[in-house]
Amino acid sequence: MLNTTRSCLWLWLLVLGLLLFTTNGAYVPITYVQSAVAKGAVCLDGTPPAYHWDKGYGTGINSWLIQLEGGGWCNNVSSCLVRKNTHLGSSKRMVKQIPFSGILNNKHFYNWNRIKVRYCDGSSFTGDVAAVNPVANLHFRGARVWLAVMEDLLSKGMRNAENAILSGCSAGGLASILHCDSFRALLPMGTKVKCISDAGYFINTRDVSGGHYIQTFFDQLVATHGSAKNLLPSCTSRMKPGLCFFPQYIAQQIRTPLFIINAAYDSWQIRNILAPGIADPHGHWESCKLDIKNCLPSQIKVMQDFRLQFLVALLRLGKSASRGMFIDSCFAHCQTEMQELWFMQDSPLLNKTKIGKAVGDWFYDRNPFQKIDCAYPCNPTCHNRVYDDPHAPHS
């Protein structure tokens, strides 16, 4: 009886494991870039950077998909101190293995080298202040972390890449824009290189109180992290560096093919750019920010205006046949990392196409995809759920 029970238990665990594998992807162990420490390429607390690598095989052995983790930013010493004691500021706090899902568990790239680069600098991999903050012992070295991780991957075979994608979500999606051309420059001339930005097209707009919360936040971030020297010179030469953190002022200058995936009603931007707590002291937007179905008609109108501003900022990109675009009318944030949003039976559709298929067809030059959805609530395939995520500015 005991053996039968054990057999049933092992069978149940095996089935559960297979279900977890197919729905969430395989668990991939962490790799610490110990050699980066000597170069000063470290997390906020001085620990080494890290990534998770599922090695490619077969026809995908020389193809590389790099996914940059998101997680907001810190804009001053106090917010970076808070962050320093989390997985977003210290590799000591990172879990040792994570599941790969969404774009990292996709049929188009299943046998590629797939890497999730962990995010622990708070500046979208742009900071570089030589001096360590003496009181808080903070290291602002995001740009060094970026280069150290890339150099480590190049030494492990990426220098032979035939295909390469730089992707990211939220703060990682912004980083994939900021570093797109420099990523291309690291690889051989003949390599097919493209970039994907998911929920990284943050716009410069006023909040509901009429203030410039996000612009001030980015100004402080760039000053704290010493990011100006690592932003596009063609932008910083004509406007203040903080503005060069906004994709609308730089993306047109990106020469590498770029695919923008974004919800026009990006739930993070609604919560943190349009209606941040500081602009809504009485909490009138709290219920609306949690669920778009709770929004009053007057709030929906404000969000429709936000969508129009988002589209104006997006169209600053100009026309390019090499660019991809999937702009749905969902109330969502980060749609490439979750299997249910990326490529499942009930995933959101635009032009009868799922995000995963649109990206795959674009990368392999099977079919260009540049679509902008109609206004809310026109798309019945949207989930319109706010998933728990750490992507708040001070997280």
Side-chain angles (χ1 to χ4, degrees):
M1 182 69 179
L2 184 59
N3 287 336
T4 303
T5 303
R6 283 177 175 170
S7 297
C8 290
L9 178 61
W10 279 113
L11 180 61
W12 181 83
L13 288 172
L14 177 62
V15 171
L16 179 62
L18 287 171
L19 284 171
L20 286 171
F21 182 89
T22 54
T23 57
N24 293 320
Y27 278 79
V28 181
I30 198 166
T31 296
Y32 300 100
V33 188
Q34 299 288 357
S35 60
V37 177
K39 304 171 186 174
V42 292
C43 300
L44 285 170
D45 70 337
T47 52
Y51 60 82
H52 302 258
W53 178 21
D54 196 359
K55 295 183 180 180
Y57 61 91
T59 56
I61 198 164
N62 287 321
S63 295
W64 295 73
L65 170 58
I66 313 296
Q67 176 80 353
L68 303 177
E69 184 179 26
W73 312 272
C74 57
N75 63 322
N76 53 38
V77 169
S78 59
S79 63
C80 290
L81 265 177
V82 173
R83 191 181 183 94
K84 172 185 169 183
N85 296 313
T86 73
H87 70 280
L88 293 169
S90 171
S91 59
K92 288 190 300 186
R93 306 278 183 168
M94 296 172 184
V95 293
K96 299 297 184 286
Q97 55 181 9
I98 61 171
F100 275 10
S101 63
I103 192 171
L104 290 171
N105 183 37
N106 180 262
K107 67 176 185 178
H108 299 292
F109 316 118
Y110 72 97
N111 63 350
W112 285 33
N113 293 280
R114 288 161 293 133
I115 293 95
K116 179 69 170 278
V117 179
R118 301 305 298 269
Y119 179 40
C120 63
D121 66 272
S123 72
S124 286
F125 302 96
T126 63
D128 192 356
V129 176
V132 177
N133 183 284
V135 177
N137 194 32
L138 285 167
H139 302 71
F140 301 115
R141 305 282 179 73
R144 296 193 201 186
V145 166
W146 156 261
L147 190 56
V149 170
M150 291 303 109
E151 287 175 344
D152 195 60
L153 294 174
L154 286 166
S155 73
K156 291 177 177 176
M158 195 170 73
R159 62 163 55 97
N160 301 316
E162 296 169 0
N163 298 291
I165 294 175
L166 178 66
S167 181
C169 148
S170 193
L174 173 58
S176 71
I177 295 175
L178 294 171
H179 290 288
C180 184
D181 282 345
S182 63
F183 178 67
R184 173 71 191 88
L186 292 170
L187 298 168
M189 283 295 293
T191 308
K192 181 174 188 173
V193 182
K194 297 189 178 184
C195 303
I196 301 168
S197 172
D198 174 19
Y201 207 91
F202 300 96
I203 67 167
N204 184 18
T205 188
R206 291 178 184 270
D207 57 50
V208 292
S209 72
H212 293 276
Y213 172 74
I214 193 63
Q215 183 178 318
T216 301
F217 185 92
F218 279 174
D219 284 343
Q220 295 168 345
L221 184 163
V222 168
T224 297
H225 289 267
S227 299
K229 58 183 170 290
N230 295 310
L231 300 175
L232 264 65
S234 57
C235 178
T236 55
S237 63
R238 56 190 174 85
M239 57 179 66
K240 63 179 184 176
L243 291 175
C244 299
F245 220 68
F246 289 101
Q248 68 200 75
Y249 304 124
I250 61 169
Q252 188 178 11
Q253 299 157 53
I254 305 298
R255 296 289 167 254
T256 308
L258 174 66
F259 198 115
I260 304 288
I261 301 164
N262 230 103
Y265 307 89
D266 186 297
S267 56
W268 188 96
Q269 295 200 51
I270 298 295
R271 296 200 305 264
N272 298 286
I273 293 181
L274 180 64
I278 194 170
D280 181 36
H282 301 295
H284 297 309
W285 279 80
E286 283 306 310
S287 180
C288 174
K289 290 192 291 185
L290 290 173
D291 188 337
I292 196 170
K293 298 183 186 71
N294 297 336
C295 297
L296 300 170
S298 59
Q299 292 172 323
I300 291 292
K301 183 183 183 305
V302 172
M303 291 166 66
Q304 299 291 20
D305 290 342
F306 175 86
R307 170 182 176 268
L308 292 176
Q309 292 176 62
F310 178 85
L311 295 181
V312 168
L314 187 70
L315 294 175
R316 291 178 68 124
L317 281 168
K319 292 184 178 180
S320 170
S322 70
R323 193 169 294 122
M325 200 176 289
F326 191 109
I327 311 299
D328 58 34
S329 60
C330 303
F331 186 63
H333 183 68
C334 285
Q335 300 178 88
T336 61
E337 293 192 336
M338 301 183 70
Q339 207 69 24
E340 52 263 53
L341 299 179
W342 171 254
F343 197 80
M344 287 188 75
Q345 189 172 357
D346 65 341
S347 293
L349 300 173
L350 187 50
N351 199 42
K352 299 181 180 179
T353 306
K354 297 172 185 176
I355 299 172
K357 185 177 189 319
V359 170
D361 286 349
W362 166 79
F363 180 81
Y364 288 108
D365 301 315
R366 291 191 291 254
N367 190 31
F369 196 94
Q370 297 182 347
K371 301 296 180 184
I372 297 175
D373 210 351
C374 47
Y376 174 86
C378 75
N379 191 335
T381 68
C382 288
H383 293 191
N384 290 335
R385 294 196 295 268
V386 177
Y387 296 89
D388 290 336
D389 67 57
H391 304 147
H394 300 282
S395 63

